Amino acid sequence: MSTETENRFQTALKEIFSTSATRTVLSVFLGFVVGAIFMVFSNEDVLKAAQYFTARPMDTIAASWSAIADGYSALFRGAIYNYERADDPVAAFRPITETLRFAAPLIAAGLGIALGFRVGLFNIGGNGQLMFGVLWATWISTRVELPFGIHLVVAILMAILGAALLGALVGFLKARTGAHEVIVTIMLNYIAANLLTYFFREESLLRETGGGGTPKSDAPAITAQLPKLLGEDYTLHLGFALAIIAVVVYWWLMERSTIGYRFRMVGHNPHAARTAGINVERTYMYAMAASAAFVGIAAANQALGATSGLSPSVDAGIGFDGITVALLGGSTAPGVLMAGLLFGAFKAGSAPMQVMGLSPEVLGIVQGSIVLFIAAPPLVRAIFRLPKPQKTTVLKDLVKRSSKGEEK
Amino acid sequence: MKLELRGITKRFGSLTANDSINLVVESGEIHSLLGENGAGKSTLMNVLYGLYTADEGEILLDGVAHKFSGPGDAMAAGIGMVHQHFMLIPVFTVAENVVLGNEPTGALGTLNLDVARARVREISDRFGFDIDPDALVEDLPVGAQQRVEIIKALARDAKVLVLDEPTAVLTPQETDELMEIMRGLAKSGTSIVFITHKLREVQAVADTITVIRLGKVVGEAKPTESAADLASMMVGRAVDLEVHKNAPVLGDKGLTVTNLTVVGDRHDKVVDDVSFTVHGGEVLAIAGVQGNGQTELAEALVGLRGVSSGTIHLGELDITASSVREVIDAGVGYVPEDRKKDGLVAEFSIAENLMLNKSFGAPFAKGALIDFANRDRIADELIEEYDIRTPGRDTPAGKLSGGNQQKVVVARELSRDLNLFIASQPTRGVDVGSIEFIHERIIQTRDAGKPVVIISTELDEVAGLADRIAVMYRGRIVGIVDATTSRETLGQMMAGVSA
C-alpha cells in the first residue's frame, strides 16, 4: 500500500477521533431516531392505521408513538431496570447486570482495536485473535487440571497470550515484509475461525467428551470458570472486573507511559518518530501484540465466562463490534468504556424486545447509524447546525493540495 | 492586460489574511509582491486565481470587474499561475502536460498531439525557451520544468502571469535565465506578478514593488531602494541582515566523512564518494541546488538512510552503521529539512514535541512513566529561552507559525549535550525575526566549540553562517571553498563547474 493511501486512512481516522463529545452524543441520539423510524415503518398497527390516514390521521400518529414507546421501553426493561418486576428485586435488577456482562468483552475488544487506531493501525483481526485466545484458554480450561485459583489465572493468561501471539504475527509480517495489516488480519480471521472449528471437531483435540459430530467443546472446568460476582442469582462474572482493569491499564499505557507516548507518536507521524530514533517497525509489532492482548481479555470472557460447552460461534462477532466500540469511543479509555456499555445494553435488551414481538434487528440498525453519523461529521453538523471545527494542519494541507490539483 | 485588485479582504475565522488590499499591475509590468511567510501573499494570489472567494473587494481586468468561482474562470479570463511546486506529470511529455485539462481532440475524441506540439514549439521559439515538446518532463532539469509550467500558462493565453516563489528551486544561473524570460514576456505585454521574499531578485527584475505585512499593504517601493530598507518594510522594524561572528577557533576533528556513497530510492548514487571533515568550532555549509544529494547526505549522517560504502566518524567513534537512536545518543543534534514531516508531531503539544527523541530516560522519563513535572518545567524553560511565541506549552505544535515551530525543533536539538549539530534548511519558511534568532543560536553552538554542518539552498544563509562551503552537484562535492568565495563562483559550482 502506498504512503499516500496510508495517509488518507490516517487522516480519516484523525477526522473521526477529533469528534467532540457533543457530536458523539448527538450521533447516538440520531441513531435512536433512525431506529424509531424503522420501528414505525415495520409496525403492523401503524401500517393498518396508515391505510385510513386521510380520514383519521391521529390514529397513525398514536400508533407510531406507541410503537416507538413499546420498543424503547422494552430495551430499557431488558438492559437497565425491569420495572414490571419491581416486586422481585432480583429479577428487576437483573437486566443491568446482564448489560455489564455483555459489555465486558466489548469493552476489552474495543480497547484493543482502539490501541491499534492510536498507533495508526487498523486491526480488523480482533475476531481471529479472540478465537485464537479462546482456543488456548479452552485447552487449559478443559484439558489441563490445575489447583483452584491457579487454574483460572493460567487460563486467563493463556487467552491473552494466545491472542497477543496472533497479533504479534501480524506486526511481524508488517514490519518484515511490508504486508498491510488489514489484509493480513482479514486472512487470519478465516484461519483462526476454521482452526477453532477443527479443534472443536477433533476428538483428540478439544471436542466434547462423548459428543457427536457437531463441533463443540466441553464446559470449562469449575476451577477455570470466571467466578460470579453477585452470587448465583446473577450471571455477571469476574470478566467485567477484568474489563475495568483493562480500561485502567489502557489509560495508564496510552496517556501516562513513555511506551504509549511512542505509540501515539508513531500513530500521528511515523516520519517524525523515525527521525526521533524510534524503531517504527518494531513499534508496529509491539502495538499489534498489545492490541491483540486486550482482545485476549475478551477471549477470556467468552471462553471462561461460560458454564456449558463452547461452539465455534463463541466469538459472537465481538472482534468486529470492537471496531465500532473503538470508533464510537474515540479510542480513549473512558470513551471506549461508555461505548462498550451502550453496546452491551443493546445486546442485553435485544432478547426482551423479541419477546415483545419487536424486531431486535432495530438495534443493529441503531448501532450502524450511530457509527455512520460519527464517521460523517458534516451530516451531524448540518442537522444540528453545529459550527465547523478547526481543521488540523494535516487536513488543511490536504485540502490545499487537492484544490491545487484541480487547476490542472 | 492591466490587473487591478481593489479592497480585497479575506478572513479565516478570526484571522484576517488579507485586509483591504489594493494592487495595480500595469500591462507589461513586472510587479513584485514582497512579504514574509504568512504575510498574506499566497492568500491574495489564491483569491486572484479563484481558489478562494474574497469576503470583500473586487478584481478588475482592463477595468472590467470579474468574479472567479474557480481556477477555470481565472484561466479563461487570462490569468496564469506557476506554483512553487510544479503541477506536472513526470511521465508525460512536455506537449502532453501542456494540453492536460484542455486537450485538442480529433474525431471520436482521440487526442491530437500535433496541435499541442506546434503550440509548444511556437511559444518556445517566440521567447527562446529551448524546450522540446516530445521530451519527458522527468528528464528535464528543474529550470526547464519551470519553463514548461510557463508555457502551460501561455498556451492558455495568459495575459497576467503569477509566479509564486519561482526561484526557490533554481541555481543562480537558472534564476538569471528566468529573469531574462520574465523581461521578454513583459516586453511582449504580459503582466507579471512576482511573489518572493528574496530582496536581491526583487531589486534585479521588478518594475514596481508592493510590500505586504500581516495582510496589509504597507507600501510601494522602487527597486532602487536598498535591501535593508526593503527588509525593514517587510518586517516592520530595522533588520540586521548580517550574521555577526568572530573568526572560528578550531578544535579537534568533530565529524569525518570518508568516501561516503549512498544509494537513493531509485537505486542511483545520490551521494557519490563524498569526503569532508568538520572541526569543532567551525561551521561547514553544504550548498547546492535542491535535489543534488544534500538531503540524503544529512539522512545518512544521522542514521536514517543506509550507507553503501565509506565511513562516518564522530571524533573517534564510527557511526557509519549506527541506528538513529545510537546517533542521537552519541550526541548528534539534527534539524531536519521538512520540520512538519520529520521534525514535529503536529498534534502533539509543544511540551510533548520537546521530548520527542528523549523519551527513553531522565529527565523526561521515570522508568516507563513520563515525568510530567520535569517535562512541563523543561518545556516552560525552553519556551522562555528560545522565545517560542505560544499561549502555553500545551498548545499543539501544528498551531504555531513556521518560525515558532522551527524554534521548537531547534530548542529540542540544542538543549542536549551535543558533539555535532546538523541543520538542514534551518530557516526555510521562517520569518525574518526568527531567522536572526536561529542564526544566532547556530553561531553560539559553533562558538561553544561544537562542529556544525548547515545544509542550505539559500546562498545568503550559506555565506552568512559558513566558515567553509562545500558545494554539492549530482551527489558529488564539487569543491570545498572559503566562505569569502564570490557568488558567481559558487553559482558556477552549483551548476557542476569545479572551482
Side-chain angles (χ1 to χ4, degrees):
Chain A
M1 188 173 261
S2 74
T3 49
E4 184 66 18
T5 42
E6 290 256 21
N7 287 342
R8 265 163 203 264
F9 163 66
Q10 284 176 354
T11 313
L13 273 186
K14 267 173 203 153
E15 171 85 313
I16 290 171
F17 293 146
S18 66
T19 309
S20 67
T22 324
R23 230 165 62 222
T24 307
V25 171
L26 292 174
S27 296
V28 171
F29 174 73
L30 282 178
F32 278 101
V33 171
V34 171
I37 293 169
F38 174 79
M39 284 192 287
V40 166
F41 282 98
S42 63
N43 186 286
E44 281 180 27
D45 294 341
V46 177
L47 295 179
K48 251 183 244 162
Q51 285 169 354
Y52 53 90
F53 180 77
T54 41
R56 290 172 58 188
M58 283 318 287
D59 276 13
T60 312
I61 292 166
S64 301
W65 177 250
S66 85
I68 297 168
D70 283 354
Y72 286 138
S73 62
L75 177 62
F76 183 84
R77 285 197 308 277
I80 297 174
Y81 178 74
N82 190 352
Y83 48 82
E84 287 182 354
R85 299 289 305 278
D87 51 313
D88 175 5
V90 171
F93 283 108
R94 182 170 291 123
I96 183 74
T97 66
E98 285 297 281
T99 291
L100 298 184
R101 182 171 67 88
F102 279 116
L106 289 171
I107 293 167
L111 291 172
I113 311 299
L115 193 151
F117 281 149
R118 295 285 287 270
V119 192
L121 295 168
F122 199 171
N123 180 7
I124 305 187
N127 231 40
Q129 289 145 20
L130 188 144
M131 288 186 166
F132 207 59
V134 166
L135 196 158
W136 283 48
T138 308
W139 191 278
I140 298 293
S141 71
T142 65
R143 291 289 181 267
V144 178
E145 282 181 30
L146 286 167
F148 184 83
I150 295 174
H151 198 176
L152 177 64
V153 172
V154 171
I156 292 171
L157 288 179
M158 284 317 236
I160 296 172
L161 191 69
L165 268 179
L166 203 63
L169 175 67
V170 176
F172 177 77
L173 289 174
K174 184 182 173 76
R176 273 302 164 85
T177 68
H180 197 269
E181 77 276 4
V182 168
I183 313 287
V184 177
T185 48
I186 291 175
M187 294 308 134
L188 284 175
N189 279 346
Y190 288 112
I191 292 173
N194 287 296
L195 201 66
L196 186 71
T197 310
Y198 169 77
F199 268 70
F200 280 6
R201 197 195 297 284
E202 284 295 307
E203 199 174 0
S204 57
L205 298 170
L206 288 177
R207 192 172 89 192
E208 192 181 9
T209 322
T214 41
K216 196 177 179 216
S217 78
D218 284 319
I222 291 290
T223 49
Q225 282 180 15
L226 291 162
K228 302 272 187 289
L229 283 181
L230 302 172
E232 288 306 311
D233 286 333
Y234 299 105
T235 50
L236 182 67
H237 53 67
L238 192 71
F240 184 72
L242 291 180
I244 296 301
I245 293 169
V247 170
V248 176
V249 170
Y250 178 88
W251 173 83
W252 180 87
L253 181 74
M254 294 312 287
E255 315 297 340
R256 311 304 288 181
S257 80
T258 56
I259 303 163
Y261 168 76
R262 290 191 284 271
F263 277 180
R264 289 183 285 127
M265 196 197 304
V266 169
H268 283 307
N269 187 345
H271 303 287
R274 187 167 283 128
T275 309
I278 311 294
N279 188 329
V280 173
E281 280 70 30
R282 203 178 293 161
T283 304
Y284 282 142
M285 207 162 93
Y286 292 154
M288 272 311 298
S291 167
F294 280 102
V295 176
I297 295 169
N301 261 278
Q302 294 305 99
L304 310 172
T307 47
S308 57
L310 306 175
S311 81
S313 62
V314 58
D315 61 285
I318 286 164
F320 296 113
D321 286 343
I323 300 173
T324 326
V325 170
L327 287 173
L328 179 59
S331 287
T332 64
V336 168
L337 175 64
M338 300 302 285
L341 288 172
L342 179 69
F343 281 26
F346 284 164
K347 282 207 172 187
S350 91
M353 279 183 86
Q354 214 161 356
V355 173
M356 286 285 296
L358 292 157
S359 334
E361 286 76 21
V362 65
L363 295 175
I365 290 175
V366 174
Q367 282 184 27
S369 307
I370 292 172
V371 178
L372 192 76
F373 285 120
I374 286 186
L379 213 59
V380 179
R381 277 202 299 273
I383 293 171
F384 292 101
R385 310 207 178 279
L386 295 180
K388 226 173 170 179
Q390 278 281 316
K391 284 196 168 109
T392 63
T393 49
V394 181
L395 274 176
K396 214 157 51 189
D397 284 351
L398 210 77
V399 171
K400 220 181 344 185
R401 224 183 305 150
S402 59
S403 56
K404 273 187 181 171
E406 281 162 23
E407 293 155 30
K408 268 185 228 158
Chain B
M1 192 183 274
K2 180 182 175 181
L3 166 72
E4 205 178 339
L5 301 177
R6 277 193 202 152
I8 299 286
T9 299
K10 177 71 191 170
R11 297 185 197 91
F12 297 100
S14 62
L15 176 84
T16 307
N18 287 162
D19 191 353
S20 53
I21 287 187
N22 295 311
L23 184 74
V24 181
V25 184
E26 298 291 344
S27 185
E29 182 188 54
I30 301 177
H31 195 116
S32 189
L33 207 53
L34 188 64
E36 290 203 75
N37 288 292
K41 294 171 295 182
S42 298
T43 306
L44 186 65
M45 287 305 114
N46 284 337
V47 167
L48 172 62
Y49 203 49
L51 285 168
Y52 295 148
T53 314
D55 297 319
E56 284 161 37
E58 50 182 359
I59 301 167
L60 292 94
L61 292 169
D62 282 339
V64 184
H66 280 72
K67 269 223 178 319
F68 302 141
S69 52
D73 293 352
M75 272 188 266
I79 294 167
M81 180 109 112
V82 175
H83 294 278
Q84 188 176 356
H85 302 285
F86 302 152
M87 306 284 167
L88 296 171
I89 307 214
V91 295
F92 277 14
T93 66
V94 171
E96 285 168 336
N97 265 292
V98 167
V99 295
L100 195 67
N102 190 18
E103 302 86 356
T105 47
L108 299 170
T110 50
L111 186 61
N112 187 345
L113 268 184
D114 288 339
V115 177
R117 282 195 198 95
R119 193 95 178 92
V120 172
R121 222 167 262 133
E122 184 230 325
I123 296 169
S124 174
D125 289 349
R126 177 147 46 107
F127 297 105
F129 281 4
D130 190 26
I131 295 283
D132 173 11
D134 291 315
L136 286 181
V137 162
E138 63 183 358
D139 295 338
L140 295 175
V142 177
Q145 290 189 13
Q146 191 170 55
R147 293 202 286 274
V148 175
E149 282 278 18
I150 297 175
I151 292 175
K152 234 169 81 179
L154 294 178
R156 283 170 204 184
D157 295 317
K159 301 288 193 311
V160 177
L161 193 62
V162 181
L163 302 169
D164 187 2
E165 299 277 359
T167 58
V169 288
L170 303 182
T171 63
Q173 274 76 11
E174 283 175 319
T175 304
D176 290 345
E177 285 169 28
L178 174 70
M179 289 182 181
E180 254 339 285
I181 287 170
M182 285 164 67
R183 291 191 191 101
L185 287 169
K187 205 172 281 171
S188 75
T190 310
S191 312
I192 295 175
V193 181
F194 176 40
I195 302 176
T196 187
H197 65 274
K198 294 189 187 172
L199 302 170
R200 194 186 306 274
E201 292 164 6
V202 171
Q203 290 173 311
V205 77
D207 296 316
T208 313
I209 301 164
T210 297
V211 183
I212 297 186
R213 172 162 28 101
L214 299 172
K216 284 186 186 147
V217 171
V218 288
E220 292 223 341
K222 286 285 153 197
T224 45
E225 303 251 4
S226 74
D229 287 347
L230 288 174
S232 47
M233 265 176 95
M234 204 158 92
V235 185
R237 60 179 171 83
V239 190
D240 193 353
L241 295 174
E242 294 288 314
V243 178
H244 296 280
K245 60 177 203 275
N246 302 321
V249 183
L250 291 193
D252 295 336
K253 273 184 190 174
L255 172 71
T256 312
V257 175
T258 316
N259 303 113
L260 187 75
T261 298
V262 176
V263 171
D265 300 331
R266 286 198 219 144
H267 307 288
D268 48 348
K269 285 183 186 173
V270 282
V271 176
D272 191 358
D273 196 23
V274 161
S275 301
F276 62 86
T277 305
V278 190
H279 289 266
E282 156 185 66
V283 177
L284 176 77
I286 296 179
V289 177
Q290 183 84 50
N292 275 288
Q294 309 97 307
T295 308
E296 290 85 355
L297 172 62
E299 287 174 355
L301 291 180
V302 298
L304 278 165
R305 196 175 271 276
V307 169
S308 310
S309 62
T311 57
I312 306 166
H313 282 85
L314 190 63
E316 297 301 312
L317 183 70
D318 187 345
I319 56 164
T320 313
S322 298
S323 71
V324 181
R325 199 173 147 196
E326 285 161 350
V327 172
I328 291 171
D329 288 344
V332 177
Y334 173 53
V335 176
E337 158 185 326
D338 186 342
R339 66 176 156 269
K340 279 188 186 151
K341 180 169 163 244
D342 298 316
L344 292 167
V345 176
E347 295 83 354
F348 273 10
S349 70
I350 293 170
E352 283 177 307
N353 270 295
L354 284 169
M355 62 172 284
L356 216 54
N357 52 17
K358 305 169 187 171
S359 64
F360 290 99
F364 289 97
K366 252 191 307 196
L369 207 70
I370 298 173
D371 190 331
F372 288 94
N374 267 344
R375 184 194 77 174
D376 292 349
R377 180 180 54 75
I378 294 169
D380 286 342
E381 284 169 13
L382 289 177
I383 286 170
E384 171 83 34
E385 186 188 343
Y386 284 82
D387 190 27
I388 299 165
R389 310 276 168 86
T390 167
R393 59 172 182 253
D394 295 323
T395 306
K399 295 236 191 269
L400 298 178
S401 72
N404 283 308
Q405 288 181 349
Q406 190 73 340
K407 284 188 208 163
V408 172
V409 178
V410 170
R412 180 181 70 221
E413 299 303 320
L414 287 182
S415 61
R416 285 192 285 136
D417 223 359
L418 290 188
N419 292 315
L420 171 67
F421 181 60
I422 302 171
S424 207
Q425 314 296 350
T427 56
R428 177 176 285 176
V430 167
D431 57 282
V432 175
S434 303
I435 290 177
E436 281 179 286
F437 184 87
I438 290 168
H439 281 174
E440 267 171 38
R441 289 290 163 156
I442 290 172
I443 294 301
Q444 274 175 22
T445 309
R446 158 199 183 253
D447 291 343
K450 316 285 184 201
V452 176
V453 176
I454 299 297
I455 295 164
S456 178
T457 52
E458 303 261 349
L459 269 186
D460 289 330
E461 179 165 80
V462 165
L465 287 175
D467 297 309
R468 288 186 301 145
I469 301 171
V471 181
M472 274 188 92
Y473 177 71
R474 297 204 175 154
R476 294 178 151 269
I477 288 190
V478 182
I480 302 182
V481 295
D482 200 75
T484 52
T485 308
S486 74
R487 296 179 75 87
E488 287 67 33
T489 313
L490 288 173
Q492 281 173 351
M493 289 171 73
M494 285 163 79
V497 183
S498 291

